[in-house]
Amino acid sequence: MVLPQEIAKDITEILPHVKRGTLRFWGKWFGRPFDNYHLLVACDATDDCLHLRFNEDEVLAVWNPADVEINETTFRIGSATEVRWTWYHYGRPKTPENLRYWDYARQEGKIAFRTNWDTIPGSGWLEQNAASYPAVEMPDSA
């Protein structure tokens, strides 16, 4: 198993030449498919967590990442125990009250979901087959 620190080092060495695009977490799009564009600007790690920082101050935290392929043409984290995507509500000031999150956790073969974003119900489970998708990916546009 490759440590998050080693993954962060490898990614940092190729920045800014990393695939850019729309994120999907265990099959769930962030926004509509291909309607937003994320650019990775920094990467680091602590203990078992990989931190990926994007151009609009978004942060993707991935605990126990595995099967990671991030390069110029691919952005994929095949597996993780937990994923947290945080962003400031777009179009509003970057203040603590405007910080939003989506949390995902693998539990007994299923994916639990929790958020503080007021346009989506607060918690629950993703679709039954969600665990068969990569934990994080930027799919190619159609």
Side-chain angles (χ1 to χ4, degrees):
M1 185 168 141
V2 180
L3 294 173
Q5 293 81 358
E6 294 172 30
I7 297 169
K9 179 182 174 290
D10 290 345
I11 293 169
T12 299
E13 288 176 358
I14 63 170
L15 284 175
H17 306 289
V18 171
K19 182 175 182 174
R20 305 161 186 197
T22 303
L23 288 164
R24 191 162 69 172
F25 310 101
W26 274 297
K28 182 178 175 63
W29 292 96
F30 180 70
R32 289 188 221 124
F34 311 110
D35 77 340
N36 53 55
Y37 195 74
H38 300 286
L39 167 63
L40 185 65
V41 296
C43 184
D44 61 64
T46 55
D47 299 325
D48 60 350
C49 188
L50 178 66
H51 302 102
L52 303 161
R53 301 175 197 293
F54 292 83
N55 60 307
E56 295 287 332
D57 293 324
E58 304 100 338
V59 176
L60 176 61
V62 183
W63 284 265
N64 302 300
D67 189 22
V68 177
E69 185 178 359
I70 296 177
N71 55 47
E72 288 186 36
T73 60
T74 304
F75 193 108
R76 182 180 182 281
I77 301 172
S79 180
T81 54
E82 294 179 54
V83 171
R84 174 173 261 221
W85 173 248
T86 58
W87 75 99
Y88 289 97
H89 195 295
Y90 298 113
R92 295 186 185 171
K94 293 180 179 178
T95 59
E97 60 271 8
N98 290 324
L99 188 63
R100 302 291 180 255
Y101 67 82
W102 281 5
D103 280 344
Y104 301 89
R106 183 182 292 274
Q107 296 176 2
E108 300 175 13
K110 297 190 300 185
I111 307 300
F113 172 73
R114 189 171 53 115
T115 184
N116 69 343
W117 193 17
D118 55 5
T119 62
I120 296 176
S123 63
W125 298 91
L126 296 187
E127 296 79 26
Q128 197 66 18
N129 67 339
S132 67
Y133 286 93
V136 181
E137 64 180 332
M138 284 183 183
D140 292 329
S141 60

